[in-house]
Amino acid sequence: MTEPTIHERPEVWLPRLRAVLEEQIGHYRELDALGEKQSGLIETGDAEGLIGVLAQRQMVIDRIAGLNGDLVPFQRGWDVLSTMISDEQRSEMRGKLDELAALVKRIGERDEADKQSLERKRDAVKRELNGLNQGKRAAQAYGVRGANAPTDVPLYQDRNG
């Protein structure tokens, strides 16, 4: 008789899967909280604060990415592994996966809204800058004098003779 492999012993792999999922959920909750903070900073126009939050988010995303590799063996073998645990344990794992999915969805939706908000702000600044440039060109075309312009030069000239 051969020794059962780790995949044949849920008492060995299930605690590891549970721990990885709980750690993932913790990281996604942190990412969600940072996303809320990010939205507020975008709304107030705090670029420096936003850069800091984005750096924090990247660190959390890197931790999540590291854990994703730990989940691969469980994902690949889940059809078989899930038959080795009780209905209660399967329900617990399903609950954790559902919570992860809800967090990912909420984070994605907020990030999309933040992206659109940033694009609107960018477009507004672009329009404002274009308006300033047009005003400057119009002032130059009409010969409006600046504060330091010499006053002995005629403001209007007849260029047709």
Side-chain angles (χ1 to χ4, degrees), residues 5-143:
T5 67
I6 190 169
H7 292 299
E8 295 171 348
R9 299 178 52 207
E11 67 276 8
V12 174
W13 60 260
L14 187 59
R16 176 64 185 144
L17 175 59
R18 184 179 289 121
V20 171
L21 289 175
E22 287 172 0
E23 193 172 351
Q24 285 274 29
I25 289 169
H27 291 320
Y28 276 103
R29 285 179 181 159
E30 184 179 359
L31 195 59
D32 188 35
L34 288 168
E36 288 179 13
K37 190 173 181 180
Q38 171 184 293
S39 295
L41 293 168
I42 289 171
E43 190 64 32
T44 62
D46 183 354
E48 190 173 318
L50 179 59
I51 290 170
V53 168
L54 290 173
Q56 289 175 322
R57 285 189 67 176
Q58 187 58 53
M59 289 188 301
V60 175
I61 290 168
D62 290 344
R63 291 194 301 262
I64 290 170
L67 284 174
N68 285 342
D70 293 347
L71 288 174
V72 170
F74 296 109
Q75 291 168 326
R76 285 187 183 148
W78 185 245
D79 289 340
V80 173
L81 296 175
S82 65
T83 65
M84 297 178 190
I85 57 178
S86 69
D87 289 343
E88 182 181 311
Q89 291 167 324
R90 259 191 311 282
S91 178
E92 175 193 1
M93 294 301 109
R94 173 58 37 214
K96 290 181 185 314
L97 292 171
D98 289 347
E99 183 176 358
L100 274 173
L103 284 164
V104 167
K105 181 179 179 194
R106 184 170 53 237
I107 291 164
E109 288 171 350
R110 185 182 306 111
D111 284 351
E112 182 60 31
D114 287 347
K115 176 185 166 193
Q116 291 174 3
S117 179
L118 283 169
E119 287 173 353
R120 283 190 301 273
K121 287 179 183 284
R122 179 201 63 206
D123 292 345
V125 168
K126 187 177 179 179
R127 283 190 303 275
E128 194 173 318
L129 288 173
N130 285 338
L132 289 173
N133 285 335
Q134 287 175 353
K136 184 178 176 182
R137 286 192 304 270
Q140 289 170 342
Y142 285 105

